Amino acid sequence: AAGRDGPDGRLPRLEALLLMQCARLTDDGLAALHGCACLRRLNLAMCTGVTERGVAALIDALPALDDLELAGCSRVRLDVPALSAKFERFVELSEDADGLDAVQG
């Protein structure tokens, strides 16, 4: 439906997206969400194919994002100095043996 989607097929009015346990989701897949300017809530729990670089790029592209769940995303690490500042606005941080447990606003 061209009237609801953007001209490139993206969903600019999408506000929430739950992608839990999408193990094949990669940073390239996250890049497809960059056009979702209204996205405020994103759940990527157990999406083991994404990295902190893909998530950081997503945070840059989506300024409205204020609720981000990364439980079990073992390839997302906050200890990369150049990227840690990007995650600061997501205040609830905890880590378990599998990697980042939660990043939420």
Side-chain angles (χ1 to χ4, degrees), residues 36-41 59 61-67 89-90:
C36 299
C38 292
L39 192 62
R40 298 180 53 86
R41 180 175 178 228
I59 289 170
L62 302 175
L65 190 65
D66 61 13
D67 185 348
R89 77 176 202 236
F90 301 99

Side-chain angles (χ1 to χ4, degrees), residues 7-46:
D8 58 0
R10 295 181 187 220
L11 301 168
R13 290 184 270 172
L14 182 68
E15 293 183 14
L17 185 60
L18 308 177
L19 295 172
M20 296 101 45
Q21 299 182 356
C22 292
R24 292 184 181 207
L25 180 65
T26 65
D27 293 344
D28 289 339
L30 288 182
L33 299 175
H34 289 190
C36 299
C38 292
L39 192 62
R40 298 180 53 86
R41 180 175 178 228
L42 180 60
N43 189 324
L44 298 173
M46 301 302 293

Side-chain angles (χ1 to χ4, degrees), residues 63-82:
L65 190 65
D66 61 13
D67 185 348
L68 177 61
E69 175 67 45
L70 296 169
C73 292
S74 56
R75 295 179 65 194
V76 176
R77 308 302 292 175
L78 290 178
D79 56 1
V80 178

